[in-house]
Amino acid sequence: MKLASIQAAEKKLLLQTYERNPYLFVGGQGVYLHDEEGHDFLDLLSGIGVSALGYGHPAIEAAIQDQSKRLLHTSNLFYHEGTANLALRLTEISGLDRVFFCNSGTEAWEAALKLARSHARLLREKGRKIGTTFLAMEHSFHGRTMGSVATTHKEKYREPFAPVMPGVEFVRFNDIADLRAKFSQDICGICIEPLQGEGGIHPVSQEFFAAARELCDSTGALLLADEIQSGLGRTGKWFAYQHYGILPDITTLAKPIAGGIPMGAMLCTDEAALGFTPGQHGTTFGGGPLACAVAIAVLDTMQRENMLKHIHDIGEFFKSKLQTLATHHDCIVDVRGMGLMLGIELNSAELAKQVAAKMMERRIIINRTSETVLRFLPPYILERKHVEIAINALDEILKDLAATYAGTASAGEKSHG
Ligand SMILES: *Cc1c(COP(=O)(O)O)cnc(C)c1O
């Protein structure tokens, strides 16, 4: 079988960085992926929030085909047609002024960290008192490069690579007293995911986000909002920070931006942008013609089809169904999230693992994050019928597992009796 031979070859040839699920996908259409045997899988994860328009979307295919016949790469030594065009759209939807393009989430976050450090340096040169330390949040995730892991909370991701970038302190998420206690003129930036993804689908509180904004304003430190997972419509608004009416100085984008073609972007205010002068930051591939053309096609499609409203509506429907499910299953202890970035927390990590595996057996793709949380990041084109399929499957699986656990428990009682 093809899968088995690929598994064997990867085991021998690749660095062992991933624990892949034993499935081999060869194609996809809409919200379904197809495996080598022709089975359809309902994808409620979209490649971790990337394939936002699903698979085989005609607008994306057309953009790739058209651009492939013209130009794939120019380098940043020259102009091409896509960069300013895409930047204009991103600034219009974000409320920020300027864009730096790169190729991945972690690279966008690195740009944000470097910009905040450099911006603070400029302020110091003008005589302001401001230091070089970042405040980052507990349970945060910002990526795998040295700066990004330094601001990522989980020790497992940081410790093996010590020393990572120095100058980071962690604050208890949504604990305003802790934030105020750790904030000072040493701080050059506060790092927040408005809706934490890997950390288990936890939204920032209005009060905490507002306090962070106010503290930054008091010293000239920058507020950095990582929207790599939550941005570009995922939560029903273009940016999760727009649910709060709070504008960060810097935001980062990646996952869904070019519908599956790798791309990242850092957006910032004119003021923050002063932190970089020519030559201080750059990338060979960033903002290339292909990625820009596809990103423009993604944004065009979303705007033309009024997709934010759809994401909001279908997200509310999905969430209400999950809440109803929670009333029938005691093992669901919380339902969280906004738009199509949803999570349900179960009362056991082992149970969450089994549910994700049983969903996969039924050819429905979800994943588990933060041990006990089942995460849903479906394509934006999800419909009610897909939600119903998923909810029915979850209901049956949870009933089955509850019966199994009850069976084990009563068997246990018997053996004691
Ligand atoms: C995925 C993610 C990243 C890292 O993006 P990569 O493209 O994997 O480098 C950073 N921050 C958040 C919030 C993410 O979800």
Side-chain angles (χ1 to χ4, degrees), residues 104-107 141-143 193 198 226 228-229 254-255:
S104 69
T106 198
E107 209 187 325
F141 182 83
H142 297 294
E193 289 160 83
E198 307 301 308
D226 183 345
I228 289 165
Q229 192 164 144
K255 291 187 165 93

Side-chain angles (χ1 to χ4, degrees), residues 262-407:
M263 180 177 230
M266 176 193 67
L267 281 59
C268 68
T269 60
D270 278 327
E271 161 65 26
L274 296 172
F276 282 160
T277 53
Q280 284 188 339
H281 193 58
T283 149
T284 298
F285 290 113
L290 179 67
C292 284
V294 179
I296 290 166
V298 169
L299 289 175
D300 275 348
T301 303
M302 288 183 66
Q303 280 165 332
R304 193 176 57 242
E305 297 183 6
N306 198 10
M307 228 175 248
L308 291 186
K309 182 174 171 357
H310 173 73
I311 293 164
H312 169 83
D313 292 348
I314 192 83
E316 289 291 298
F317 177 72
F318 201 159
K319 194 172 178 182
S320 73
K321 289 277 177 186
L322 289 171
Q323 281 161 339
T324 308
L325 193 69
T327 64
H328 299 148
H329 298 279
D330 291 343
C331 61
I332 303 178
V333 294
D334 201 11
V335 178
R336 293 190 292 267
M338 294 186 261
L340 286 176
M341 185 166 170
L342 298 169
I344 56 177
E345 180 154 1
L346 303 186
N347 60 5
S348 135
E350 181 52 34
L351 181 64
K353 194 173 169 182
Q354 287 191 31
V355 175
K358 295 227 178 269
M359 287 290 272
M360 213 53 219
E361 282 169 23
R362 289 173 182 240
R363 305 199 182 108
I364 302 172
I365 305 174
I366 61 171
N367 96 323
R368 181 175 70 123
T369 185
S370 197
E371 298 293 320
T372 52
V373 179
L374 298 177
R375 174 169 57 171
F376 308 92
L377 293 171
Y380 299 165
I381 55 171
L382 191 77
E383 294 169 38
R384 281 180 176 232
K385 63 181 181 206
H386 306 125
V387 175
E388 271 152 8
I389 293 169
I391 295 289
N392 289 339
L394 279 169
D395 190 35
E396 286 176 19
I397 289 168
L398 289 170
K399 273 184 194 142
D400 282 355
L401 287 172
T404 316
Y405 278 123

Side-chain angles (χ1 to χ4, degrees), residues 2 13 17 45 75 107 110 150-151 162 169 174 181 185 202 214 217 309 325 395 397 405:
K2 231 187 194 163
L13 297 169
T17 50
L45 192 59
S75 90
E107 209 187 325
E110 291 288 334
T151 50
E169 251 202 279
N174 286 337
Q185 288 183 327
H202 288 282
E214 174 211 310
D217 289 340
K309 182 174 171 357
L325 193 69
D395 190 35
I397 289 168
Y405 278 123

